[in-house]
Amino acid sequence: MNLYLAATYIIDARYGRNGQFEADDNSVRLYNLYTHWLPKLVTYFFLLLLLSLAIFEKPAVPGLEIEYWVTMPMELICLIVIGSRLFHLKLFSPGRTFYSDKKNIVVLATIVIVVIDMITYIALVNSGQSMYAYRWSRPLRPLILVNITEGRQIRRAFRNIRRTLPDILNVLVLFFLSIALFALMALKIFERRPELRLYTDNSPYFKHYGDIYFQLYVLVTTANSPDIMMPAFDSNKWFSLFFIVYLVVCLYLFMSIILAVIYKNYRRHLKNEIKKSVFIKRVKLNRAFDELKEQQDGKSVVTEKTWNAVMQEVLPNRNQVYYSLLWMVLDKDGNGYIDQNMFLQVADLLNVEVSEVRNQKHLIEKFWPHIYNSSVSIAVRQVVMHKFFRYFFDLAIVVNAFFIGFNLDEAEWFFLSVFTCEIILKLYTYGFREFCRRFWNIFDFIVISAAFIATIIEAALEELQYSRETLDVLLVLRILRLLKLVGSIDRFKIIIGTLTNIAPSMFTYGGVLFVFYYVFAIIGMEVWGTMLSGNVNVTFCNNPALIGTEFARDHYCNNNFSDVLTSFVLLFELMVVNQWHVLTSGFEAVTSAWARLYFVAFHLLVVIVVLNIFLAFILEAFMLESSLSAGKFSNAVEEKIKEMGLWVSK
Amino acid sequence: MNLYLAATYIIDARYGRNGQFEADDNSVRLYNLYTHWLPKLVTYFFLLLLLSLAIFEKPAVPGLEIEYWVTMPMELICLIVIGSRLFHLKLFSPGRTFYSDKKNIVVLATIVIVVIDMITYIALVNSGQSMYAYRWSRPLRPLILVNITEGRQIRRAFRNIRRTLPDILNVLVLFFLSIALFALMALKIFERRPELRLYTDNSPYFKHYGDIYFQLYVLVTTANSPDIMMPAFDSNKWFSLFFIVYLVVCLYLFMSIILAVIYKNYRRHLKNEIKKSVFIKRVKLNRAFDELKEQQDGKSVVTEKTWNAVMQEVLPNRNQVYYSLLWMVLDKDGNGYIDQNMFLQVADLLNVEVSEVRNQKHLIEKFWPHIYNSSVSIAVRQVVMHKFFRYFFDLAIVVNAFFIGFNLDEAEWFFLSVFTCEIILKLYTYGFREFCRRFWNIFDFIVISAAFIATIIEAALEELQYSRETLDVLLVLRILRLLKLVGSIDRFKIIIGTLTNIAPSMFTYGGVLFVFYYVFAIIGMEVWGTMLSGNVNVTFCNNPALIGTEFARDHYCNNNFSDVLTSFVLLFELMVVNQWHVLTSGFEAVTSAWARLYFVAFHLLVVIVVLNIFLAFILEAFMLESSLSAGKFSNAVEEKIKEMGLWVSK
């Protein structure tokens, strides 16, 4: 009976981890070190550092440029840390599982490629060939983020995307074929009509097939509607029929179908993922059971003694009372042992949150009991707990909103004191622990105390110099205060509840988007870099190729790839879609029509695939939200606790 | 035993009708007349005429204007026809059901209001007060379409919308509150920065709260992205954070949540609708059973004799063989009678399609058997049935595409003959009936024969005058021909199959959109009518208020409310969303800022509500498509047919 090994299996099952390791003591210890939070945090830190090098490398964010002979050693350190983490993994991996795992191979290959790139770069620069020196391996960096053990959530999202692709490919092919047919029709109908006026930017109207194809693709994104129709429409109103039919087919039908196909596949894969994770849990728990089992009445069972022993390894921070509680839930018939079937439910049982209410006293009650229990104090606490107390401060927020709206800044000190009072009174009545249990209390605390500190700083500096940035922060904090009102309206609670539940998964999609953004930003910077900029002259973005273009006329010069942060903003604008064809036209003007490929690829990948998968995720989250109920185990635990007379209602 | 009454109940159950009528013979006869296709068709015709009056009334489509003393009698006739249909309904409705049905009251009220409006209008015009004469009741016309018995599908869709509204209202309120907070933040941050440049159209940047609110609402529709950000972005790149956070919250989160809530409610209501329709079916069939039942062995049953008798009423066009087949499916144990439970399944059974293959001969085989059965003929038929025959013509289509693409019009006669040959050969081999069974054959036949006729017309007119319109039609037909290729690629068959299955329901949503479009178009014409037009001078739309505005600069003059068809195109553009704020600004310039209400209302109702419900419908259709299998009844019928040795495989 190896308690340490069994405890490791149980912890793996509890957190749904699927680490493979040899069963010998040394490997298990290495595995537990590997899953410890500290090495994880270190890896995250260096990964983040590696990715954020893009801020300092050329083309760098203005003022933050660092020479390559500084960034490269930093990069090397990051790679070494990540490499040693891989080496750590290799140490306890059984047999050939390390090399048969594609993730590890991808990370290793990426490291090797980056090192080769670094060497070539240094060699080229120092041999005076710096015009050929490109850091072409930089877009590969996110590969490490996705394939490292810690990137499990993001990797899962990517797997989802990869599996959905074949299914939407059919629809996409049909979609592109439809555009091809419509483009051919448009060419045939409009090329024989030289009387149609030009676009407002004097470019020819529907003359070349490739151009029409691109324009119609842009029309599906609605970015050039209705401008693309107007020349034809001005000549004959019936031409609008062509565009209406086109939009109904390619926008309303195809885009809906793409979402439908993505949603369908998303659900299918979600089901598979859940099945798989349940399977992994069972495997781990079976292994743990094999380690812990004893023979009793001819059956393999786990006894209470073994249970208590292994629980001390699994949950060293909990006490015997908790272990016994869990045991009582598991050992329903009270015969002193549990069989394999019951043992398989340990993982879910451990995830039920049971918080012990230590019989703690309010701090003030502890030190000054006569004050805390005085009649005034009791009255105050009763007032605070009354619903009119909440109504009063909700009203205060509304009044505050008007004061902010009408720029009556003199009252700010008053409101700040009122809301500070509210927090102090609540803290006094409920105690710190209870106060922190509610999301809106913490929100309130942060917003008010930050405003308090900023106001003091502002007051202190007032005679010296007025800082607009402090004022901005203060204003935002003041207005955020109003948000609390939303939290106190019952009808919004379900929506906000759902949102807070799915927030962690939403961050996963943020990670996926970050990966796409990073790759596209680095490529964009390598291709366009400082070809255009808005720093010196915004009328033509410092590039004569842009004189008189719509890009310059719309003042889009600052939307460029001059550094990684600006690139991210530009890519965000492209994700929002509107005017993306104008942005494209600018970068097309300074290079060639091939630039369209970059922008269309971004639109296809990010807007059509990733955003639709995100939408599918939200749809499913709201579908599940209503059908979710408290799991059977949290009920079983609650019952046992009540049975034992230890229940304290909130 | 009233066979006629029972048959009426069964037919109602079969088609899911829920008509209420008295059980006396006269009422049943009136009810059957009411549900007959001819009076329905007449009603549809006059309803369509009533709605299409908008084309002829002022402001009319150019060239189609008819004076009010012509349109009004037409309108009156339409109202009389619809009114008499209501009267017909009243005749057989039991007790007070006619008046307790809100639908009838709405239609009656609408008719009365329209008549009052007509009288007032005539009175005002003839008393010389024509400047006050508005036909204000015209937007009410679609109420008749929705509330008349025939508008059942559209009414169901509207009911769905109405039921979904309360649920999304919560989200919408939260959404508008969020915009309010962000607008307040924007006002506070940007009003203290006079150095920010103006918009490209020289309007002030973020100065008034109402204006900021509208701009931020437009930003959620993405129509003014990234222009709205650029002045702030040009001054300090960190301001982009405000817009990014705003878009993430209000666009990506809220818009997704709105779709999720709509989809969830759509599914819930769909389930209820299905339950309700099953219930109605059961009620009707129970009534029919009560009419037909006899006592046998102490149980209420329907005998085969009664069955045959009632079937002659229900399906007078079918023969005894079919009645017997159905009976054999129902009477499984062959004891000569069926009980109530079995009888309740009659409606589903009747909806199983069984087509009799009359032992018909090919026409040519009938008249010239020696030709049809000659060795040449057999060889030809074998060639046509071979898969290479299809491949060859698929290839021909591809070649044809290139000829069209490169304007080699001389080959057109050749291709037309080739494809005509294909159709003739197929007709010869499969026979007319079999040929027509495939969608793509019919499609092919229509496209090719239309092209044939048009080509002949073109050839006949060539010496006289070249008609560009004929050429346009020909070109479109030629290109549509290429579409056939899509039908022959297997991987697209599922998508196209799903689309053809849900096509009828999609037309329902077309109807819903039509209702919204009609109401908004009429209101738009009354408000803006001919205030701006693009007919004479497109640089300022014949309205000095538009000189120098973005609306005129973008050549949007022809997007106006000058007649109902143009209004529909404009509303379609608004539905596509892009540039809707520029279109709004034009109508705002010629009236006042209140014009925004009209455009925001249209966006909220059509884009946010109706289009999302349409999307929910497509999502659900694709979800169901995979889980649909042949119903148990079509299998039961198939088995019985096979058992009887009457099966003919396709």
Side-chain angles (χ1 to χ4, degrees):
Chain A
M1 197 181 288
N2 186 340
L3 284 181
Y4 188 54
L5 179 60
T8 307
Y9 284 138
I10 292 174
I11 295 169
D12 276 2
R14 181 184 180 186
Y15 295 113
R17 287 196 304 235
N18 190 23
Q20 301 293 321
F21 52 89
E22 300 273 13
D24 61 289
D25 266 15
N26 194 32
S27 295
V28 177
R29 209 163 295 121
L30 278 168
Y31 177 69
N32 276 320
L33 180 64
Y34 186 79
T35 56
H36 192 266
W37 61 268
L38 188 66
K40 267 189 183 172
L41 197 73
V42 171
T43 317
Y44 272 125
F45 173 78
F46 281 98
L47 197 55
L48 202 69
L49 184 64
L50 177 68
L51 291 171
S52 60
L53 283 179
I55 296 173
F56 310 105
E57 290 163 336
K58 264 184 245 177
V61 173
L64 293 177
E65 188 171 329
I66 302 179
E67 285 302 320
Y68 77 94
W69 42 266
V70 182
T71 60
M72 281 212 186
M74 283 163 77
E75 196 169 355
L76 202 60
I77 292 169
C78 295
L79 292 178
I80 288 168
V81 170
I82 292 158
S84 56
R85 177 110 175 123
L86 263 190
F87 181 70
H88 185 169
L89 177 63
K90 166 98 188 65
L91 282 180
F92 61 78
S93 292
R96 302 201 47 81
T97 52
F98 179 82
Y99 291 109
S100 63
D101 191 341
K102 269 181 237 153
K103 296 194 291 289
N104 302 329
I105 304 301
V106 171
V107 176
L108 267 182
T110 310
I111 292 175
V112 171
I113 289 172
V114 171
V115 170
I116 293 172
D117 177 31
M118 282 160 72
I119 295 168
T120 346
Y121 185 83
I122 293 172
L124 280 170
V125 169
N126 287 313
S127 63
Q129 308 275 317
S130 53
M131 61 281 204
Y132 299 118
Y134 284 111
R135 284 301 315 275
W136 47 264
S137 76
R138 295 199 300 159
L140 299 180
R141 281 176 192 164
L143 276 180
I144 298 177
L145 171 66
V146 175
N147 285 292
I148 210 165
T149 317
E150 283 67 33
R152 198 168 55 163
Q153 299 296 334
I154 294 181
R155 194 161 55 246
R156 194 175 286 168
F158 267 96
R159 198 161 51 216
N160 206 334
I161 293 173
R162 214 172 50 226
R163 286 186 186 154
T164 309
L165 277 184
D167 294 286
I168 51 170
L169 217 61
N170 279 344
V171 189
L172 279 181
V173 170
L174 199 54
F175 166 68
F176 283 115
L177 277 180
S178 305
I179 301 183
L181 273 188
F182 276 103
L184 190 58
M185 243 182 246
L187 180 71
K188 293 291 140 188
I189 294 174
F190 297 117
E191 75 177 348
R192 292 177 301 112
R193 290 187 160 74
E195 76 273 18
L196 295 187
R197 68 169 172 77
L198 306 174
Y199 285 120
T200 41
D201 65 345
N202 290 324
S203 55
Y205 185 73
F206 275 9
K207 284 285 171 279
H208 311 291
Y209 186 75
D211 188 59
I212 296 173
Y213 197 97
F214 180 70
Q215 294 288 356
L216 288 184
Y217 183 82
V218 175
L219 184 54
V220 173
T221 69
T222 77
N224 58 0
S225 161
D227 305 87
I228 187 153
M229 187 181 86
M230 291 320 290
F233 191 62
D234 283 345
S235 142
N236 186 337
K237 290 196 175 178
W238 290 103
F239 280 134
S240 60
L241 266 183
F242 171 82
F243 296 94
I244 290 173
V245 170
Y246 175 77
L247 281 168
V248 167
V249 173
C250 287
L251 173 61
Y252 293 113
L253 266 184
F254 270 111
M255 289 298 126
S256 309
I257 292 173
I258 286 173
L259 176 62
V261 171
I262 285 178
Y263 180 52
K264 197 168 153 179
N265 282 288
Y266 177 83
R267 283 185 81 170
R268 197 153 50 91
H269 298 142
L270 194 72
K271 228 182 263 175
N272 289 341
E273 290 273 349
I274 291 170
K275 268 186 206 158
K276 206 177 131 195
S277 78
V278 168
F279 175 75
I280 289 169
K281 223 176 240 182
R282 290 179 71 96
V283 167
K284 290 274 179 183
L285 285 175
N286 276 328
R287 283 190 195 156
F289 185 79
D290 286 345
E291 284 299 324
L292 300 173
K293 69 185 173 192
E294 292 165 56
Q295 292 300 318
Q296 198 132 8
D297 304 339
K299 287 191 295 182
S300 300
V301 295
V302 170
T303 62
E304 184 165 6
K305 200 176 133 242
T306 321
W307 172 259
N308 285 332
V310 79
M311 273 299 110
Q312 271 167 14
E313 296 281 347
V314 175
L315 301 167
N317 299 325
R318 292 289 195 150
N319 56 20
Q320 184 59 42
V321 177
Y322 184 64
Y323 307 156
S324 299
L325 171 68
L326 295 181
W327 179 258
M328 273 185 276
V329 175
L330 287 170
D331 184 19
K332 283 198 183 108
D333 46 8
N335 54 9
Y337 54 80
I338 53 171
D339 63 0
Q340 188 157 8
N341 268 337
M342 211 57 216
F343 191 80
L344 287 180
Q345 297 171 337
V346 166
D348 298 318
L349 184 58
L350 288 177
N351 283 328
V352 175
E353 233 177 272
V354 177
S355 44
E356 285 168 72
V357 182
R358 295 214 182 81
N359 198 359
Q360 69 202 114
K361 282 183 178 173
H362 200 287
L363 272 181
I364 297 169
E365 192 178 0
K366 214 165 165 181
F367 294 108
W368 300 284
H370 59 283
I371 297 180
Y372 190 75
N373 292 317
S374 69
S375 59
V376 176
S377 164
I378 291 170
V380 165
R381 280 185 280 150
Q382 270 171 349
V383 166
V384 173
M385 285 187 204
H386 199 275
K387 62 182 176 182
F388 281 111
F389 181 80
R390 214 190 69 206
Y391 292 166
F392 173 78
F393 283 98
D394 284 352
L395 186 72
I397 293 176
V398 175
V399 175
N400 191 193
F402 279 96
F403 274 78
I404 295 173
F406 294 106
N407 279 333
L408 303 165
D409 288 345
E410 300 75 28
E412 181 48 29
W413 271 107
F414 168 73
F415 281 109
L416 203 53
S417 346
V418 166
F419 293 126
T420 312
C421 273
E422 185 196 3
I423 290 175
I424 291 169
L425 281 172
K426 274 186 171 175
L427 271 171
Y428 179 76
T429 308
Y430 297 109
F432 185 71
R433 201 174 278 260
E434 188 62 32
F435 178 84
C436 287
R437 204 166 266 170
R438 282 165 199 274
F439 168 74
W440 288 109
N441 280 343
I442 300 171
F443 175 83
D444 210 20
F445 185 79
I446 294 170
V447 167
I448 296 290
S449 53
F452 215 94
I453 294 165
T455 309
I456 290 168
I457 294 172
E458 189 199 353
L461 296 175
E462 205 161 358
E463 284 117 80
L464 307 169
Q465 197 184 15
Y466 226 93
S467 157
R468 289 215 298 191
E469 280 66 37
T470 324
L471 254 181
D472 280 343
V473 172
L474 262 176
L475 275 170
V476 171
L477 285 172
R478 269 176 218 166
I479 293 162
L480 274 181
R481 202 184 290 164
L482 308 182
L483 205 62
K484 210 186 121 193
L485 213 57
V486 172
S488 66
I489 299 172
D490 279 327
R491 63 196 306 179
F492 299 146
K493 275 185 183 160
I494 304 168
I495 302 167
I496 291 169
T498 309
L499 282 182
T500 43
N501 280 348
I502 62 176
S505 305
M506 285 199 286
F507 280 108
T508 304
Y509 286 94
V512 172
L513 281 179
F514 174 79
V515 169
F516 279 104
Y517 271 45
Y518 196 87
V519 174
F520 273 93
I522 300 273
I523 295 174
M525 289 195 297
E526 292 292 356
V527 176
W528 290 283
T530 50
M531 270 189 185
L532 58 154
S533 73
N535 294 335
V536 188
N537 191 327
V538 291
T539 54
F540 67 105
C541 316
N542 303 320
N543 192 319
L546 288 172
I547 294 172
T549 58
E550 200 176 346
F551 185 86
R553 213 167 49 239
D554 284 348
H555 291 259
Y556 287 168
C557 296
N558 273 311
N559 295 319
N560 54 41
F561 291 102
S562 62
D563 62 69
V564 71
L565 295 184
T566 311
S567 304
F568 268 52
V569 174
L570 171 57
L571 292 174
F572 186 82
E573 288 170 21
L574 291 175
M575 188 172 80
V576 176
V577 174
N578 197 49
Q579 296 290 75
W580 74 279
H581 62 301
V582 178
L583 293 167
T584 304
S585 74
F587 294 94
E588 207 185 309
V590 298
T591 49
S592 82
W594 290 104
R596 289 174 176 178
L597 269 186
Y598 173 92
F599 292 89
V600 170
F602 184 81
H603 179 261
L604 265 177
L605 278 171
V606 171
V607 180
I608 293 191
V609 178
V610 179
L611 284 189
N612 272 325
I613 289 184
F614 173 73
L615 194 51
F617 157 74
I618 296 265
L619 282 176
E620 195 56 23
F622 270 74
M623 278 300 167
L624 288 176
E625 188 60 18
S626 58
S627 60
L628 276 185
S629 56
K632 58 172 180 169
F633 269 107
S634 50
N635 289 334
V637 176
E638 276 179 21
E639 255 167 47
K640 274 288 160 192
I641 297 175
K642 278 178 188 163
E643 222 178 282
M644 294 158 73
L646 295 173
W647 183 264
V648 178
S649 71
K650 286 177 199 172
Chain B
M1 196 181 291
N2 186 338
L3 284 181
Y4 187 54
L5 178 60
T8 306
Y9 285 138
I10 293 175
I11 295 170
D12 276 2
R14 182 184 180 187
Y15 295 112
R17 288 196 303 235
N18 190 24
Q20 302 292 323
F21 51 90
E22 301 271 14
D24 61 290
D25 266 17
N26 193 32
S27 294
V28 178
R29 210 164 295 120
L30 278 168
Y31 177 69
N32 276 320
L33 181 64
Y34 187 79
T35 56
H36 192 265
W37 62 268
L38 188 66
K40 267 189 183 172
L41 197 73
V42 171
T43 317
Y44 272 126
F45 174 78
F46 280 98
L47 197 55
L48 203 68
L49 183 64
L50 177 67
L51 290 171
S52 60
L53 282 179
I55 297 173
F56 310 104
E57 291 164 335
K58 266 185 245 178
V61 173
L64 294 177
E65 188 171 328
I66 301 179
E67 285 302 321
Y68 77 93
W69 40 266
V70 182
T71 59
M72 281 212 185
M74 283 163 76
E75 196 169 354
L76 202 60
I77 292 168
C78 294
L79 293 179
I80 289 169
V81 170
I82 292 158
S84 56
R85 179 110 175 122
L86 264 191
F87 181 70
H88 185 170
L89 177 64
K90 166 100 186 66
L91 282 181
F92 61 78
S93 292
R96 300 201 49 83
T97 53
F98 180 82
Y99 292 110
S100 64
D101 190 341
K102 269 181 237 152
K103 296 194 292 290
N104 303 329
I105 303 302
V106 171
V107 176
L108 267 183
T110 311
I111 292 176
V112 171
I113 289 171
V114 171
V115 170
I116 292 172
D117 177 30
M118 282 160 72
I119 294 168
T120 344
Y121 186 83
I122 293 171
L124 279 170
V125 168
N126 287 314
S127 64
Q129 308 276 317
S130 52
M131 60 280 204
Y132 299 118
Y134 284 112
R135 284 301 315 276
W136 47 266
S137 76
R138 295 200 299 159
L140 300 179
R141 282 176 192 164
L143 276 180
I144 299 177
L145 171 66
V146 174
N147 285 293
I148 211 166
T149 318
E150 283 67 32
R152 197 168 55 161
Q153 298 296 333
I154 294 180
R155 192 162 56 245
R156 195 175 286 169
F158 266 97
R159 197 160 52 217
N160 206 333
I161 293 172
R162 213 173 50 225
R163 285 187 186 153
T164 309
L165 277 183
D167 294 287
I168 50 171
L169 217 60
N170 279 344
V171 189
L172 280 181
V173 170
L174 201 53
F175 166 68
F176 283 115
L177 277 179
S178 305
I179 301 183
L181 272 188
F182 276 103
L184 190 59
M185 245 181 245
L187 179 71
K188 292 291 140 189
I189 294 175
F190 297 118
E191 73 177 349
R192 292 177 301 113
R193 290 187 160 76
E195 76 273 19
L196 295 187
R197 67 168 172 78
L198 306 174
Y199 286 120
T200 41
D201 65 345
N202 290 325
S203 55
Y205 184 71
F206 275 11
K207 283 286 170 279
H208 311 290
Y209 186 75
D211 188 58
I212 296 174
Y213 198 97
F214 180 69
Q215 294 288 356
L216 287 184
Y217 182 83
V218 175
L219 184 55
V220 173
T221 70
T222 78
N224 59 358
S225 160
D227 305 87
I228 188 156
M229 186 181 87
M230 292 320 289
F233 191 62
D234 284 345
S235 143
N236 186 338
K237 290 197 176 178
W238 290 104
F239 280 134
S240 59
L241 266 183
F242 172 81
F243 295 94
I244 290 173
V245 171
Y246 175 76
L247 281 168
V248 167
V249 172
C250 287
L251 173 62
Y252 293 114
L253 266 184
F254 271 111
M255 290 297 126
S256 309
I257 292 173
I258 286 174
L259 177 63
V261 171
I262 285 179
Y263 179 53
K264 196 169 155 180
N265 282 289
Y266 177 83
R267 282 185 81 172
R268 197 154 50 91
H269 297 143
L270 194 71
K271 228 182 263 177
N272 288 342
E273 290 272 350
I274 291 170
K275 268 187 206 158
K276 205 179 134 195
S277 77
V278 168
F279 175 74
I280 289 171
K281 224 176 239 182
R282 288 179 71 98
V283 167
K284 288 275 179 184
L285 284 174
N286 275 328
R287 283 191 195 157
F289 185 80
D290 285 345
E291 284 299 325
L292 300 173
K293 69 185 172 191
E294 293 165 55
Q295 293 298 320
Q296 198 133 7
D297 304 340
K299 287 191 296 181
S300 299
V301 295
V302 171
T303 62
E304 184 165 6
K305 199 175 132 246
T306 319
W307 173 258
N308 285 331
V310 79
M311 275 299 110
Q312 271 165 13
E313 296 281 348
V314 175
L315 300 168
N317 299 324
R318 292 290 196 150
N319 57 19
Q320 184 59 42
V321 177
Y322 184 65
Y323 306 157
S324 299
L325 172 67
L326 295 182
W327 179 258
M328 272 186 277
V329 176
L330 287 170
D331 185 18
K332 282 198 183 108
D333 45 7
N335 56 7
Y337 54 80
I338 52 172
D339 64 0
Q340 188 157 10
N341 268 337
M342 210 58 216
F343 190 80
L344 287 181
Q345 296 170 336
V346 166
D348 298 319
L349 185 59
L350 288 176
N351 282 329
V352 174
E353 233 177 271
V354 177
S355 43
E356 285 169 71
V357 182
R358 295 215 182 79
N359 198 359
Q360 68 202 118
K361 281 184 179 175
H362 199 287
L363 271 180
I364 298 169
E365 193 179 0
K366 213 165 163 183
F367 293 109
W368 300 284
H370 59 283
I371 297 180
Y372 190 75
N373 292 316
S374 68
S375 58
V376 176
S377 162
I378 290 170
V380 165
R381 279 185 280 151
Q382 271 171 348
V383 165
V384 172
M385 284 189 203
H386 199 274
K387 62 182 176 184
F388 281 111
F389 180 80
R390 214 190 70 205
Y391 291 167
F392 173 78
F393 283 98
D394 284 352
L395 186 71
I397 292 176
V398 174
V399 175
N400 191 193
F402 279 96
F403 275 78
I404 295 173
F406 294 106
N407 279 333
L408 304 165
D409 287 345
E410 301 76 27
E412 181 47 30
W413 271 107
F414 168 72
F415 281 108
L416 202 53
S417 348
V418 166
F419 293 125
T420 312
C421 273
E422 186 197 2
I423 290 175
I424 291 170
L425 280 172
K426 274 186 173 176
L427 271 173
Y428 179 76
T429 308
Y430 297 109
F432 184 71
R433 200 174 279 259
E434 188 62 31
F435 179 85
C436 287
R437 204 166 266 170
R438 281 166 199 274
F439 168 74
W440 289 108
N441 280 342
I442 300 171
F443 176 84
D444 211 20
F445 184 80
I446 293 169
V447 166
I448 295 289
S449 52
F452 215 94
I453 294 164
T455 310
I456 289 167
I457 294 172
E458 188 199 353
L461 295 176
E462 204 160 357
E463 284 118 79
L464 308 169
Q465 197 182 16
Y466 226 93
S467 156
R468 289 216 296 191
E469 280 65 37
T470 324
L471 255 181
D472 280 343
V473 172
L474 262 175
L475 276 170
V476 171
L477 285 172
R478 268 176 220 166
I479 293 161
L480 274 182
R481 203 183 290 164
L482 309 182
L483 205 64
K484 210 187 121 193
L485 213 58
V486 171
S488 65
I489 299 172
D490 278 328
R491 62 196 309 179
F492 299 146
K493 276 185 182 158
I494 305 169
I495 303 166
I496 291 170
T498 309
L499 282 182
T500 44
N501 279 348
I502 61 177
S505 306
M506 286 200 284
F507 279 108
T508 304
Y509 286 94
V512 173
L513 282 179
F514 175 80
V515 168
F516 279 104
Y517 271 45
Y518 195 87
V519 174
F520 273 92
I522 299 274
I523 295 174
M525 290 195 296
E526 292 292 357
V527 176
W528 289 284
T530 48
M531 269 188 187
L532 57 154
S533 73
N535 294 335
V536 188
N537 191 326
V538 290
T539 53
F540 66 105
C541 315
N542 302 321
N543 192 320
L546 288 171
I547 294 172
T549 58
E550 199 175 347
F551 185 86
R553 213 167 49 239
D554 284 347
H555 291 258
Y556 288 168
C557 296
N558 273 311
N559 295 319
N560 54 42
F561 291 102
S562 62
D563 62 71
V564 71
L565 295 184
T566 311
S567 303
F568 268 51
V569 174
L570 172 57
L571 292 174
F572 186 82
E573 288 169 21
L574 291 175
M575 188 172 79
V576 176
V577 173
N578 197 50
Q579 296 290 76
W580 73 278
H581 62 301
V582 177
L583 294 168
T584 304
S585 73
F587 294 95
E588 206 185 310
V590 297
T591 49
S592 83
W594 290 104
R596 288 174 177 177
L597 269 186
Y598 173 92
F599 293 89
V600 170
F602 184 81
H603 179 261
L604 266 178
L605 278 171
V606 172
V607 180
I608 293 190
V609 178
V610 179
L611 284 189
N612 272 326
I613 289 184
F614 173 74
L615 193 52
F617 156 73
I618 297 264
L619 282 175
E620 195 56 24
F622 270 74
M623 278 300 168
L624 289 176
E625 190 59 19
S626 57
S627 59
L628 276 185
S629 56
K632 59 171 180 169
F633 269 106
S634 49
N635 289 334
V637 175
E638 275 179 21
E639 255 168 46
K640 273 289 160 193
I641 296 176
K642 278 178 188 163
E643 223 178 281
M644 293 159 74
L646 294 174
W647 182 263
V648 177
S649 72
K650 285 177 198 172

